[in-house]
Amino acid sequence: MKKEWPDLQYDKLKDTIATVQLWTQIVGKIKLIKMPWLNHSWHVTFTVSPHGLTTGGINYNKGIFELSFDFIDHQLLIITSEGDNERVSLYPRTVASFYNELFEKLKALDIDVKIYAKPNEINPAIPFEKDEVHQSYDKEQINLFWKALVKIEPVLNKFRAGFSGKCSPVHFFWGSFDLAVTRFSGRVAPKYSGVVNNIPLRVMQESYSHEVSSAGFWPGNEAFPHPAFYSYAYPIPADFGTQKIMPVEAFYSKEMGEFFLLYDDVRKAAFPEKMLMEFLQSTYDAAAETGNWDKKSLEFNYF
């Protein structure tokens, strides 16, 4: 029998997420500084792995190395193409403690790296080496969150496969702490002029340089305390939010300018994968049709 989707409760998860997000930002910034820039910041992302989240291969002077969060054995594993490895244990510890030990282990492996050591997309942005505030780590809760990603990632990949235009990988952004996939119309977008906490405007303008329909999964925040699936378009077409979408549980937030479907509604559905796919497809259709995308040339069906 297929395992049920895990039960995620924001109140139980939030403190651990707040700490782990900062840990992932430290690791993500190592990948950022070591890898060549890829359009829309795709070079900085993680992917879901059989034990957690991984950077994949990162270049360094002796070859490549990889940083992998293991949410089963609760460690950050560092492995190199030289056959060496180190581990950083994951437990209720401060961001400063994690940061200092990680860079000691990298030095022991002869991996020379220096990062901009402050968070992005978070306010206040406490420097990592001074952050004694965030120190929560509930092994059960982070394991449940990762198990949810394991359920979600194949559905996003299947959805991605139906598009022949430019499309991102299914990847995890450590800045916003979400698993996402983005489709592109192929047309240049109006220059982005919004403000995101501790992100240079030039980075956001490059990220949204072209028209997109983007969807993914996010654990929520204090203003929206619910793990949820989202879907948005940039730029937002005039009639986007009025389109009929599926399933009936989904809704449009005028304040946030995007569609949402609560994770719990999907988890409790008789066929969770089918419900999620309906949401992904119908919200993409809403973006593409109201945005006058050339759907015929962009969509793909092998069979």
Side-chain angles (χ1 to χ4, degrees):
M1 294 180 62
K2 295 174 70 175
K3 289 186 177 179
E4 294 182 353
W5 288 42
D7 182 8
L8 300 182
Q9 298 179 38
Y10 178 76
D11 285 345
K12 292 182 178 180
L13 187 63
K14 63 180 182 178
D15 291 339
T16 294
I17 289 295
T19 299
V20 174
Q21 181 176 8
L22 291 164
W23 293 350
T24 63
Q25 290 213 6
I26 295 167
V27 171
K29 284 170 177 282
I30 293 169
K31 186 176 183 183
L32 165 65
I33 206 70
K34 283 291 189 180
M35 296 296 286
W37 191 277
L38 192 59
N39 58 179
H40 318 302
S41 301
W42 292 354
H43 63 300
V44 309
T45 59
F46 302 158
T47 55
V48 179
S49 77
H51 273 226
L53 293 168
T54 183
T55 61
I58 302 174
N59 304 328
Y60 83 121
N61 62 308
K62 291 184 177 180
I64 61 173
F65 68 99
E66 182 177 30
L67 296 157
S68 298
F69 284 94
D70 183 334
F71 298 132
I72 295 177
D73 296 323
H74 302 286
Q75 60 186 353
L76 176 71
L77 178 63
I78 314 166
I79 61 173
T80 78
S81 54
E82 292 292 290
D84 301 317
N85 67 83
E86 292 281 358
R87 290 170 172 78
V88 177
S89 296
L90 306 181
Y91 58 88
R93 63 188 302 178
T94 66
V95 171
S97 167
F98 176 88
Y99 174 85
N100 290 326
E101 183 177 349
L102 172 55
F103 276 84
E104 287 174 4
K105 296 292 175 66
L106 290 171
K107 185 177 181 180
L109 293 170
D110 198 24
I111 298 171
D112 181 29
V113 60
K114 184 179 291 186
I115 65 171
Y116 176 70
K118 291 179 69 175
N120 295 112
E121 301 188 48
I122 292 174
N123 191 31
I126 305 170
F128 299 130
E129 60 186 338
K130 296 181 179 180
D131 190 344
E132 304 285 345
V133 176
H134 300 94
Q135 53 185 309
S136 297
Y137 189 79
D138 185 316
K139 291 182 178 181
E140 179 182 3
Q141 290 301 311
I142 197 63
N143 181 264
L144 289 173
F145 177 76
W146 162 71
K147 285 180 177 177
L149 297 182
V150 170
K151 288 290 189 180
I152 295 162
E153 191 258 2
V155 183
L156 295 182
N157 266 318
K158 184 176 180 181
F159 170 68
R160 180 181 185 269
F163 198 73
S164 61
K166 178 179 175 178
C167 190
S168 77
V170 175
H171 48 193
F172 190 89
F173 278 101
W174 40 264
S176 46
F177 212 72
D178 62 331
L179 186 68
V181 62
T182 303
R183 293 176 169 186
F184 292 77
S185 75
R187 298 192 301 249
V188 174
K191 184 169 286 190
Y192 185 88
S193 59
V195 177
V196 178
N197 285 327
N198 303 304
I199 290 283
L201 180 59
R202 68 182 185 276
V203 174
M204 296 304 300
Q205 289 177 339
E206 194 279 330
S207 295
Y208 289 104
S209 61
H210 291 70
E211 294 178 349
V212 301
S213 172
S214 188
F217 169 72
W218 170 63
N221 62 18
E222 290 293 345
F224 189 90
H226 309 280
F229 300 97
Y230 64 82
S231 182
Y232 66 87
Y234 180 81
I236 305 174
D239 298 325
F240 177 59
T242 64
Q243 300 303 295
K244 184 177 180 180
I245 61 166
M246 297 175 65
V248 296
E249 292 86 352
F251 59 93
Y252 185 75
S253 167
K254 290 183 179 180
E255 180 182 4
M256 300 182 74
E258 51 194 296
F259 288 103
F260 288 97
L261 174 63
L262 298 185
Y263 170 85
D264 213 40
D265 287 331
V266 174
R267 181 183 71 86
K268 293 176 179 177
F271 301 100
E273 292 85 357
K274 180 175 181 292
M275 176 184 277
L276 176 53
M277 185 62 78
E278 289 174 344
F279 175 75
L280 297 170
Q281 186 61 48
S282 64
T283 54
Y284 156 72
D285 287 338
E289 290 167 10
T290 59
N292 297 312
W293 289 27
D294 183 5
K295 293 183 68 182
K296 186 176 180 180
S297 68
L298 292 170
E299 295 173 9
F300 173 76
N301 188 349
Y302 182 74
F303 297 101

